[in-house]
Amino acid sequence: MAPLIDRFETVFEKFNLFVAICVAGSIALFATLVPLDFFLRKMGLHGLEWLNEGAEYGLYAGVFLSSAWVLYKGAHVRVDIVLTAIPAWLSARLERAVDLFGALLCLSMAYFGANGTMSSYIFGTLPDKDLQIPNWVVLAVFTASFIMLAIEFLLRFRRAGRPDHKVTTDIGF
């Protein structure tokens, strides 16, 4: 039987893949709805007035929520010039230190996001837009994404400590 942390890592990886697929689906949906909206307006019918703001919210949520999957895949912007210029044992230690720092930074961002989320929920703030999604929902996405990033940084820290560790760059599904 696999240790609990291995099972958690597997479930977390599948969850991140599910989120990435949902984000890809939302982008495909908006790519379909934009020409439909254009067609409806040109035909003199009511368009999808909410579409522009809906796409803004969708892209915001998609970018933040899929960031842990991007980090897992190694598809984020990364500069390895320092890691290749130093000895391998030091490179591995530096990579683990950066992963730990990333986790701590993400946890602090999640803390501040949670504070903002709670304040927004208590005060019931709404944006000045046609499509009014409460601000606490938007901030909750921010908070959840940084918690997910912190988890992924900690899992990277764990994986980097293994002797069979290889940096993954298999971008895509």
Side-chain angles (χ1 to χ4, degrees):
M1 187 160 132
L4 184 60
I5 188 72
D6 288 339
R7 286 186 282 167
F8 173 79
E9 187 171 0
T10 301
V11 169
F12 188 69
E13 180 184 336
K14 288 179 182 178
F15 173 72
N16 278 329
L17 179 61
F18 172 75
V19 168
I21 290 169
C22 289
V23 169
S26 73
I27 292 170
L29 178 66
F30 284 118
T32 304
L33 290 176
V34 167
L36 174 64
D37 180 53
F38 179 75
F39 176 76
L40 290 173
R41 289 175 192 264
K42 287 298 179 185
M43 296 302 292
L45 304 170
H46 286 284
L48 307 172
E49 289 83 14
W50 53 268
L51 184 60
N52 188 33
E53 291 169 357
E56 288 176 14
Y57 284 123
L59 287 172
Y60 165 81
V63 166
F64 274 97
L65 292 175
S66 64
S67 60
W69 177 76
V70 171
L71 181 62
Y72 170 74
K73 287 294 190 178
H76 56 291
V77 175
R78 181 179 160 131
V79 180
D80 290 333
I81 196 164
V82 173
L83 295 178
T84 57
I86 59 178
W89 64 270
L90 184 58
S91 175
R93 286 188 180 173
L94 180 60
E95 186 171 354
R96 291 188 84 198
V98 168
D99 288 338
L100 194 56
F101 177 75
L104 293 173
L105 182 63
C106 289
L107 286 173
S108 67
M109 294 296 288
Y111 170 78
F112 290 115
N115 283 341
T117 301
M118 291 305 295
S119 295
S120 232
Y121 178 77
I122 290 168
F123 292 117
T125 57
L126 290 170
D128 186 24
K129 293 184 170 193
D130 291 330
L131 183 59
Q132 290 192 326
I133 295 177
N135 287 340
W136 72 267
V137 173
V138 175
L139 290 172
V141 168
F142 176 88
T143 304
S145 69
F146 276 102
I147 290 170
M148 292 167 58
L149 276 168
I151 292 169
E152 181 55 37
F153 271 119
L154 292 172
L155 291 173
R156 285 172 56 92
F157 178 83
R158 179 177 176 262
R159 286 190 298 265
R162 294 181 184 163
D164 61 339
H165 171 67
K166 292 180 185 172
V167 175
T168 178
T169 57
D170 58 334
I171 300 168
F173 291 107

